[in-house]
Amino acid sequence: MGRANPVLVDHIGRLIEAGPKDRPALIAVVGAQGSGKTTLARAAAARFGGAQISIDDVYLTRAEREALARDVHPLLVHRGPPGTHDLALLNRLIDDLSAAGPDDSTLIPDFDKRGDDRWPVERWRRFRGRPSAILIDAWCLAATPETDTALTGPLNALEREQDSDARWRRWVNAQVAGPYADFIRRFDAVVFLKAPGFDIVLDWRCQQEADLLDVEPADLPAHERERLSAFIQYFERITRHMLSGGIRADVTAQLDRNRLPVSIAP
């Protein structure tokens, strides 16, 4: 993924400076898969003395998602879409970090993506003291819900074959409209890293996977690209909606194909 863009890091620094003085500024960094949101949040946290948390680290446990799959819809066993995160845990973490004293230690969860479950508490990382800011990177935060009419027709093969009655996507949309909308209201600022289009997301996600495998993106095995192409279908509907304006963001950084900001507004 490389280094965070310094212009964007500086911009987050200004948001922190303009934030509340009686508690850490709470800032969300959002964007499509592979847009560099975690890299940016980590860099800003390191530079300005903040705490960074990825929403990927507070997924519901495997057992909790299996219960959702039984009770609501089988697709909910797959982590990622709204409704598969533990927002209550994330709210507690924000509260604990905001109230921390200089000698306090706050445990921040970590998720084992290969094992598809949350690591035990003894594997969690510690943040010591009170941060200047809390930076949450999350692909779907601040998205607005779609209309029921928009949800009717399937968008891709996943929806067509495994959600033909739209029950899964309507449930996910209800999470966007309810718990996730309530959660984002407590934030001081939302920074949206806007991809040039959904078509770039697969290339970005493949680049991430190639980095993990320590190979060039062109050498990523074809079966891995096919797997990732199927995986991003879980994210496609909301990502496309956000890219077409379905998001409430305070700052929008329009990115090019190389993740460099073309413009930043406001």
Side-chain angles (χ1 to χ4, degrees):
M1 283 295 298
R3 298 173 60 186
N5 183 271
V7 173
L8 293 174
V9 175
D10 288 344
H11 204 98
I12 288 182
R14 290 191 288 274
L15 293 173
I16 294 171
E17 180 63 27
K21 306 306 177 187
D22 59 338
R23 60 168 175 80
L26 183 57
I27 298 172
V29 181
V30 304
Q33 286 187 307
S35 59
K37 54 191 177 295
T38 302
T39 300
L40 176 59
R42 284 176 178 167
R47 179 170 168 186
F48 301 112
Q52 174 268 333
I53 305 171
S54 291
I55 203 169
D56 288 0
D57 288 330
V58 291
Y59 284 126
L60 295 173
T61 65
R62 176 77 187 188
E64 289 169 328
R65 286 179 284 117
E66 286 176 346
L68 279 177
R70 289 192 304 270
D71 299 340
V72 181
H73 194 283
L75 285 177
L76 290 170
V77 75
H78 299 283
R79 65 182 188 268
T84 64
H85 306 100
D86 192 337
L87 294 185
L89 172 58
L90 195 48
N91 270 311
R92 290 196 300 273
L93 284 170
I94 293 169
D95 291 342
D96 290 347
L97 286 165
S98 298
D103 298 323
D104 289 335
S105 181
T106 304
L107 286 169
I108 297 178
D110 196 7
F111 196 88
D112 176 14
K113 291 185 177 179
R114 292 194 179 276
D116 194 27
D117 212 343
R118 195 178 296 161
W119 284 113
V121 173
E122 55 267 25
R123 292 283 301 267
W124 295 10
R125 57 191 171 99
R126 292 181 179 272
F127 186 92
R128 299 191 181 279
R130 183 182 179 185
S132 65
I134 302 169
L135 295 134
I136 311 287
D137 57 271
W139 76 276
C140 59
L141 280 183
T144 60
E146 291 187 89
T147 65
D148 195 63
T149 300
L151 295 168
T152 302
L155 186 68
N156 53 33
L158 174 75
E159 294 184 357
R160 193 163 50 249
E161 297 167 7
Q162 300 187 55
D163 188 41
S164 59
D165 60 359
R167 189 161 48 92
W168 170 70
R169 51 190 182 269
R170 286 196 170 97
W171 187 90
V172 170
N173 194 59
Q175 303 305 303
V176 173
Y180 286 70
D182 293 341
F183 178 63
I184 200 63
R185 288 191 188 100
R186 73 179 298 184
F187 281 70
D188 300 299
V190 174
V191 178
F192 179 36
L193 303 182
K194 187 176 182 180
F198 184 77
D199 292 345
I200 195 66
V201 173
L202 178 57
D203 288 340
W204 283 353
R205 189 63 186 82
C206 286
Q207 184 179 358
Q208 287 181 314
E209 197 69 16
D211 289 344
L212 290 173
L213 296 174
D214 197 25
V215 299
E216 292 297 319
D219 296 328
L220 188 71
H223 67 85
E224 280 296 317
R225 188 174 179 90
E226 291 171 3
R227 179 182 67 83
L228 292 170
S229 179
F231 180 64
I232 65 172
Q233 291 185 44
Y234 289 90
F235 305 83
E236 182 173 359
R237 173 175 289 276
I238 294 176
T239 300
R240 287 188 182 276
H241 179 60
M242 293 170 73
L243 291 175
S244 64
I247 181 172
R248 296 189 180 97
D250 300 286
V251 176
T252 297
Q254 178 64 61
L255 305 182
D256 64 14
R257 295 182 66 86
N258 296 314
R259 304 183 187 85
L260 296 176
V262 175
S263 63
I264 301 175

